Amino acid sequence: MANKIIIAIDGFSSCGKSTLAKALAVKLEYVFIDTGAMYRAIALYFLRNGISFDDNVAIENALTKIKLNFQYNTASQKSDMFLNGENVELLIREMKVSSKVSEVAAIAVVRDFAVAQQQAMGQAKGIVMDGRDIGTVVFPKAELKIFVTALPEIRANRRLLELQATNPAITLQEVAENLQHRDLIDSTREHSPLRQADDALVLDNSNISREAQFEIALNWAKERIALAN
Ligand code: DC
């Protein structure tokens, strides 16, 4: 049987990382882990419970009360995020959470909490994990690291289409501003900022289809799986 590898996918917000990660996981029969969902669920807990983002004592105390787990959803072929037993998969995608999650993800103790769980999930390999620091911090020895990029205007338009399905009133400007805001915080924060790992392969999908992007990444994965044997 083929050896399993770890595939780390990083990049800016809304550039198609999750779509690619999910498709690779389905094809390779690997587990897909959307680490952004974990930060979003933590942000949701903080918002619901009025936890101030600069109160370290309250944050550490809150983290002891947060149980995160993923449960596979056969309809979507990916796992839903559960926060203390509640399926929050849809709630964590709302603007209320999106507009605050970068601030939560910048907090060192929050990152330590999430990263420890992510590393445990990857112990048996056979995973595709997407996020911002997967190839640099979570799995610096991942066999395949992909850094996904796309032009900002293309990303904003794609995200607008997704969000309009549940929120028809949302505007391109709102979406573009939220993306810029998140990218800025994600890439300039002190702890584990978003950056391309030195040994990552760059995949710019501005002008290629999802299918073409998938074929490129799948070929890379097959090469690395063969090398791991
Ligand atoms: O991928 P996403 O948009 O769902 O991520 C939500 C937020 O969490 C975003 O601001 C970046 C942050 N994040 C992070 O800092 N590290 C990760 N591994 C994944 C997401």
Side-chain angles (χ1 to χ4, degrees):
M1 199 183 117
N3 274 349
K4 289 187 181 287
I5 64 167
I6 292 180
I7 302 177
I9 303 189
D10 291 303
F12 291 102
S13 298
S14 296
C15 58
K17 297 184 302 293
S18 293
T19 308
L20 175 64
K22 177 184 144 179
L24 282 175
V26 170
K27 178 74 183 179
L28 297 169
E29 297 183 8
Y30 277 21
V31 176
F32 162 46
I33 298 156
D34 169 5
T35 60
M38 299 170 72
Y39 292 102
R40 286 170 179 271
I42 297 167
L44 177 65
Y45 184 93
F46 286 5
L47 292 172
R48 277 179 172 173
N49 292 281
I51 307 295
S52 160
F53 301 166
D54 47 23
D55 183 343
N56 263 324
V57 174
I59 290 170
E60 287 189 29
N61 184 33
L63 290 174
T64 65
K65 298 187 183 131
I66 296 179
K67 290 272 169 298
L68 300 177
N69 64 288
F70 288 104
Q71 274 182 37
Y72 193 71
N73 177 330
T74 40
S76 63
Q77 289 190 298
K78 68 182 274 289
S79 297
D80 288 343
M81 183 81 250
F82 280 69
L83 167 64
N84 293 336
E86 174 192 354
N87 186 336
V88 292
E89 184 59 35
L90 292 179
L91 279 175
I92 58 172
R93 312 285 161 194
E94 289 184 358
M95 235 359 169
K96 270 183 285 196
V97 175
S98 296
S99 61
K100 294 286 173 201
V101 61
S102 291
E103 287 165 58
V104 172
I107 303 168
V109 285
V110 168
R111 301 205 70 81
D112 292 346
F113 174 82
V115 168
Q117 296 180 38
Q118 291 154 10
Q119 289 173 332
M121 290 178 216
Q123 261 176 359
K125 301 212 173 182
I127 58 159
V128 186
M129 190 174 273
D130 96 73
R132 304 294 187 289
D133 59 339
I134 311 305
T136 51
V137 174
V138 183
F139 294 115
K141 295 197 173 138
E143 287 84 352
L144 174 60
K145 300 178 187 176
I146 303 176
F147 193 82
V148 185
T149 67
L151 291 169
E153 58 272 26
I154 292 186
R155 293 195 280 132
N157 272 306
R158 287 181 186 154
R159 187 82 184 121
L160 178 70
L161 285 179
E162 272 170 31
L163 289 172
Q164 272 178 337
T166 48
N167 179 4
I170 197 152
T171 65
L172 180 62
Q173 192 184 347
E174 258 179 283
V175 175
E177 281 173 6
N178 175 252
L179 286 185
Q180 273 170 15
H181 172 72
R182 285 202 279 153
D183 287 349
L184 182 72
I185 298 183
D186 293 342
S187 50
T188 56
R189 68 182 176 222
E190 185 186 349
H191 309 289
S192 315
L194 165 65
R195 78 174 174 80
Q196 185 188 322
D198 296 337
D199 51 351
L201 301 176
V202 178
L203 214 175
D204 183 337
N205 64 26
S206 302
N207 295 305
I208 58 172
S209 66
R210 273 185 191 186
E211 293 72 25
Q213 159 173 261
F214 172 68
E215 286 307 322
I216 294 168
L218 182 62
N219 282 331
W220 287 341
K222 284 180 179 166
E223 282 169 22
R224 299 298 165 97
I225 290 169
L227 284 176
N229 281 327

